[in-house]
Amino acid sequence: SAVISQKPSRDICQRGTSLTIQCQVDSQVTMMFWYRQQPGQSLTLIATANQGSEATYESGFVIDKFPISRPNLTFSTLTVSNMSPEDSSIYLCSAYRLAGRFYEQYFGPGTRLTVT
Amino acid sequence: GQQLNQSPQSMFIQEGEDVSMNCTSSSIFNTWLWYKQDPGEGPVLLIALYKAGELTSNGRLTAQFGITRKDSFLNISASIPSDVGIYFCAGPDSGAGSYQLTFGKGTKLSVIP
């Protein structure tokens, strides 16, 4: 398995500001992802963090709002820009490692963001 | 994209009872993953299934990969209070590649001591 840590674990931010969330994996992984989870809801994929190239965003998410970096195989950041109360959510980092035919994806503990 | 229908949406059970929940899809999945999420935490992988008909256990948990590859179920035997949480099924979205997960909406489990 992979151990994933995220910083910060939670934050309360003012409208119009930006927050950068860090994700660190304890070993090299094939893929890293960022998800959003609204309270009481399931997980929604924001983007795939690609090492050395621009992230791949899902429909409804754009780079200007959620810039992502992945400078190496174990680290990624997600920035939530120009925040509004609608951005209040849990943001989850995830990592995937392919070992033969086995697919397993692991999640960090999440960052709980509240925008006032 | 693909969609996963998970049921029941929530359930209340007495401690010691067995629990069963399932996940269905209109399209074929090659892998089924079951996660549990505790309040304030990220999802934790419980069981991964890779082959149609496969039955896999992890302690009191048992999951099966449906023979049609369009469904999976998760059973919990002799439930205990720490089983409380939200259980999600998930599978790689084959339409977008083999690594982006599609999640069910979750089954919220409450255990009454």
Side-chain angles (χ1 to χ4, degrees), chain B residues 19-74:
Chain B
V19 174
S20 185
M21 59 191 78
N22 68 76
C23 203
T24 61
S25 170
S26 58
S27 54
I28 289 172
F29 277 78
N30 294 316
T31 299
W32 286 93
L33 305 173
W34 284 93
Y35 290 88
K36 182 194 177 196
Q37 187 173 28
D38 291 329
E41 302 290 332
V44 173
L45 183 63
L46 299 174
I47 292 179
L49 302 162
Y50 301 102
K51 186 178 176 182
E54 180 181 357
L55 185 71
T56 297
S57 294
N58 178 8
R60 294 179 295 106
L61 278 60
T62 302
Q64 183 157 30
F65 193 142
I67 198 72
T68 64
R69 294 163 62 192
K70 293 184 178 181
D71 64 324
S72 176
F73 72 74
L74 176 69

Side-chain angles (χ1 to χ4, degrees), chain A residues 68-88:
Chain A
I68 288 170
S69 77
R70 190 182 172 193
N72 57 52
L73 293 175
T74 64
F75 184 80
S76 177
T77 66
L78 168 74
T79 299
V80 186
S81 304
N82 188 25
M83 288 184 283
S84 66
E86 292 72 35
D87 294 321
S88 297

Side-chain angles (χ1 to χ4, degrees), chain B residues 79-98:
Chain B
S79 59
I80 59 178
S82 62
D83 291 332
V84 165
I86 302 177
Y87 292 80
F88 291 100
C89 62
D93 188 349
S94 60
S98 62

